[in-house]
Amino acid sequence: MWADAEAERGVDPLAHQGKAIDAYLAAIRVREHQADAWINLGNALRRRASTPGATDAAGDLTRARDALAKALALNPGNVVACFRGAEISEQLARWRWSHGEPHEADLEQALALFRQGLGINARLPPLHNGLGAALLWQAEQRWEEGGDTAPLLQQAQAAFEEARRLAPKQAYAHNNLGEVWLRRATIQAARGEDPRPSGRAAVEAYQQALSLQEGDADLWANLGRAQTLLATWSLERGGDPGQELSRAESSLARASSLNARQAHIWRNLGELRALKARWLARRDTVKDADFEAAAEAFQQALTLAPRRHDFRLEAARFQLAWAEWRQRAGMDAGPSLARGLTLADEVLAVRPGWARALALRGGLRVALADTPAALEQRQAWHAEGQEALRQALARNPLLESEWRSRRGSAPEPVAGPPLP
């Protein structure tokens, strides 16, 4: 109780969390064969692992997982133990993934525990939502590996639809259905396919969630991101994204007004500001300050969530777009390219084989070859970039649509001035 109250006030709760864990361990010594005692211990360990500044998050999560396994061994029909055990296993999988460690076994265990819980009681919406969320993350991993995401996305959607059927007045299932549709739209856009039907379905689902929980910052942030995706598709096809941009700005302004400490809100703001800068550039009204505003939003996201490698890659991708604009404007693109390479290399230091990070590093190197430098240096950068792109597309052919033009059309530098 003390630890939870301190966390809500922004006070470091680690000391009281440690005392709570010690108390649960003492209780277990008295009643070792009661499942609830092990569940309480597991929940306390998970809370400490989730606290900023936790010194051994992986160890606490592993011990929490083992505590819930003990609870299930004592009472295999305990649906709470299934649900909490699944949550802990998924959290451990995400921790391992963010630290470049194998995570697949933990994710599979989470899926198995969610399904075990549903076998005990299929009328609990949290179990359906939990299963769907784990399947959705598994689909994201499958996409990163170049695999077929359709079956997993369909399974996730079915789980969320069942949660919505069981609890139609809860916002979570509506939001989660929006997440499935947004993931579909994102994949379709990356393949060069029209994402608008899926994007509009995502918008509708988020709006349904907001009609039930209007003051939720996360829901507004998710709506804004879906609207940004629709605006991006319009801009990249030569259309006018102004209307969707305006909607996205309104949604994300509401999100940040409700909670400015959420990293994903700042990431979404970075994407929105980057898109707006590109639109202004097409109209010849952009200023460097427009790109700087996007860079500041991405940096705030990374400050709040330094382990979100996907945010780091998105920030690096933005730096490449900024550099390309500066090159076209006759300005020095070097600082943006250097920053982008730093971000991409930070990700690759943790996950060396991540195809998306390799592709981005390749694109940045190819762009660097068009900056002022000695001919041999520019040729080396170009060769390094092409090799990184080759490796990325070999690992994930689904990236071909996005990076084909850079790999196929970028000529090797020759003697003479660099491209402006």
Side-chain angles (χ1 to χ4, degrees), residues 47-244:
R47 281 194 293 271
R48 186 168 70 177
S50 305
T51 301
T55 57
D56 186 17
D60 277 346
L61 288 171
T62 301
R63 289 186 285 273
R65 179 197 61 193
D66 294 344
L68 269 296
K70 179 67 173 178
L72 275 173
L74 291 167
N75 183 359
N78 191 317
V79 71
V80 174
C82 289
F83 178 64
R84 295 302 181 194
E87 286 188 317
I88 290 166
S89 291
E90 183 181 353
Q91 186 172 342
L92 182 57
R94 290 179 183 272
W95 188 95
R96 294 194 196 284
W97 184 89
S98 71
H99 288 75
E101 298 179 9
H103 65 285
E104 293 82 2
D106 296 298
L107 180 56
E108 288 295 339
Q109 184 177 32
L111 291 165
L113 286 169
F114 280 127
R115 289 174 174 133
Q116 183 177 339
L118 287 168
I120 298 167
N121 187 344
R123 295 193 59 77
L124 293 176
L127 283 168
H128 291 285
N129 278 319
L131 175 62
L135 288 165
L136 182 58
W137 189 48
Q138 192 174 46
E140 293 170 6
Q141 302 303 303
R142 187 72 54 82
W143 162 257
E144 297 289 0
E145 297 164 358
D148 181 11
T149 62
L152 289 169
L153 289 175
Q154 189 57 46
Q155 291 175 49
Q157 181 174 343
F160 294 144
E161 285 175 343
E162 181 63 10
R164 182 181 62 180
R165 186 188 71 79
L166 291 167
K169 297 300 183 182
Q170 289 185 1
Y172 304 112
H174 295 282
N175 172 74
N176 291 340
L177 282 167
E179 294 290 273
V180 173
W181 284 113
L182 183 56
R183 173 53 50 185
R184 280 201 183 99
T186 301
I187 291 171
Q188 289 162 346
R191 289 173 169 166
E193 302 168 2
D194 187 353
R196 287 176 294 182
S198 295
R200 289 166 184 154
V203 167
E204 182 178 352
Y206 293 136
Q207 288 172 336
Q208 274 291 113
L210 282 165
S211 72
L212 298 167
Q213 200 164 307
E214 193 267 343
D216 191 300
D218 290 342
L219 299 181
W220 284 107
N222 293 342
L223 175 61
R225 193 169 195 217
Q227 290 163 334
T228 299
L229 180 143
L230 292 171
T232 300
W233 179 261
S234 177
L235 178 69
E236 292 179 348
R237 295 302 178 279
D240 183 351
Q243 192 172 48
E244 285 295 349

Side-chain angles (χ1 to χ4, degrees), residues 324-348:
E324 290 171 336
W325 173 77
R326 290 180 67 85
Q327 284 177 325
R328 290 192 297 271
M331 302 169 69
D332 181 12
S336 293
L337 292 172
R339 176 60 177 156
L341 282 165
T342 296
L343 291 166
D345 287 344
E346 287 170 350
V347 173
L348 287 167

